[in-house]
Amino acid sequence: MKYYEVLFRIDAPAVIRQDVCDVLAAMAGEAAFETFEQTGEGMTGYVQQDFFDEDALRQVIAMLPFDQDEVHVDYTIDEAPYRDWNEEWEQQGFEPISVGTHLIIYDGRHLPTLPDGATPPRLIQINARQAFGTGNHATTRMMCACLTEMSLQGQALLDCGTGTGILSIVALAQGAERAVGYDIDEWSVDNARLNARLNGVEERFTSILGDSTVIGQFIGQFDVVAANINRNILLADLPSMRQALKAEGGTLLLSGFYHDDVPLLTDKASQLGLRLEEEKTEDGWSCLRFSI
């Protein structure tokens, strides 16, 4: 498949430059961008030519939640030289990631080691093309931590924007009866299925290609809905996510946004009859747990 290589030049104060890169990467992911590399000027993003929508990219840049008087983003587009993304990731991988004391996420090239006599935590193997969705990012770690702290035995989970499938796999490992994940990226849908097989939970996991319209076929069916997506997508999709929850005892887990965005999410959730039960914060990012 052919890719475009989009060079983003980011002019921003040094104290928020990395924040701008992180938010731009998260939001551009909703415009079909698949991976990013840091550069001296900002970062380079890669998107399949068949899926690239420059109007959507312009909208993403216009919606960046920063003062436009001090943050400027422009870009140039070139055809990317061929690269085997899956092979590159397999060669690099990631070091094992601890989530609290009960969970370690690792890839097949970097096996976890435990001190002699240590109680083995739950191990989740994730083979992924990029680091987001492995636990490297604070939002993923917080979502996984929330799931490990919940009693999920026999429950059903909807995983919105499943990515690597990590949230579904953690929930199933915690005793959930079934999980359904959807994603707009075909590679992610296939990758989530692969990771479910690696962890022996494939019979209880369904991975679907699509956006939030998928939720319409699952009204009132889930005990838990989990979404680690950028703020604007969450605000737009919250009503559908709320409809997917069972009428009693449902839990909504949200992350993918900065702490400063929490009031927007809590206000919207409150309008939908959801109560804030817990907030986690790490590196300026937040994770919220709501109940009906």
Side-chain angles (χ1 to χ4, degrees):
M1 60 189 68
K2 294 183 177 181
Y3 282 78
Y4 285 125
E5 185 177 77
V6 181
L7 175 61
F8 294 96
R9 290 180 294 274
I10 298 173
D11 180 12
V15 294
I16 62 169
R17 184 181 175 83
Q18 187 59 51
D19 290 344
V20 176
C21 287
D22 290 343
V23 174
L24 176 58
M27 294 177 66
E30 300 300 326
F33 278 78
E34 297 182 11
T35 193
F36 298 89
E37 297 175 340
Q38 297 287 122
T39 70
E41 295 181 290
M43 63 183 184
T44 302
Y46 296 88
V47 58
Q48 290 186 40
Q49 293 184 14
D50 290 345
F51 298 148
F52 181 56
D53 183 339
E54 190 169 3
D55 287 338
L57 176 59
R58 292 193 188 102
Q59 291 177 19
V60 163
I61 293 173
M63 291 190 299
L64 287 172
F66 298 97
D67 186 342
Q68 294 187 7
D69 289 333
E70 64 176 5
V71 173
H72 303 279
V73 178
D74 61 10
Y75 61 88
T76 55
I77 305 169
D78 290 304
E79 186 164 314
Y82 174 78
R83 297 169 68 175
D84 187 333
W85 298 103
N86 191 51
E87 180 182 358
E88 288 196 9
W89 176 259
E90 288 176 355
Q91 291 174 352
Q92 297 174 19
F94 61 94
E95 294 297 326
I97 299 160
S98 295
V99 179
T101 59
H102 304 295
L103 175 67
I104 293 179
I105 302 164
Y106 71 100
D107 77 349
R109 295 182 61 86
H110 301 83
L111 302 180
T113 57
L114 299 173
D116 292 340
T119 301
R122 191 177 301 282
L123 301 177
I124 300 292
Q125 181 177 350
I126 295 294
N127 285 359
R129 177 171 48 184
Q130 46 188 318
F132 198 88
T134 62
N136 271 304
H137 199 274
T139 58
T140 309
R141 289 195 298 272
M142 289 187 290
M143 292 286 279
C144 289
C146 280
L147 290 169
T148 62
E149 294 162 4
M150 296 171 62
S151 177
L152 298 175
Q153 196 68 37
Q155 296 195 350
L157 174 134
L158 177 64
D159 183 1
C160 306
T162 190
T164 63
I166 187 170
L167 300 183
S168 291
I169 293 165
V170 170
L172 292 168
Q174 286 288 112
E177 181 177 328
R178 68 185 181 100
V180 175
Y182 68 83
D183 203 290
I184 61 172
D185 180 69
E186 185 174 0
W187 198 97
S188 292
V189 170
D190 292 339
N191 186 218
R193 292 191 185 113
L194 168 65
N195 287 322
R197 288 197 298 273
L198 288 174
N199 292 277
V201 297
E202 69 274 18
E203 293 184 0
R204 294 181 285 144
F205 177 64
T206 302
S207 188
I208 300 173
L209 179 65
D211 57 18
S212 61
T213 58
V214 165
I215 299 175
Q217 61 188 291
F218 298 113
I219 302 301
Q221 294 190 24
F222 293 95
D223 302 282
V224 181
V225 173
N228 186 10
I229 311 175
N230 79 66
R231 179 199 67 184
N232 294 324
I233 300 298
L234 289 175
L235 289 171
D237 292 351
L238 266 176
S240 297
M241 295 176 188
R242 169 65 176 83
Q243 289 183 321
L245 287 170
K246 292 181 178 179
E248 295 183 5
T251 297
L252 177 66
L253 296 178
L254 302 179
S255 196
F257 47 87
Y258 282 104
H259 177 69
D260 289 346
D261 295 324
V262 167
L264 289 173
L265 275 302
T266 55
D267 287 349
K268 183 71 171 183
S270 177
Q271 294 170 22
L272 296 169
L274 295 162
R275 299 187 306 273
L276 179 62
E277 302 288 354
E278 180 185 11
E279 177 184 352
K280 295 181 184 293
T281 302
E282 183 179 340
D283 297 335
W285 298 88
S286 285
C287 176
L288 304 176
R289 177 171 61 87
F290 297 92
S291 66
I292 296 177

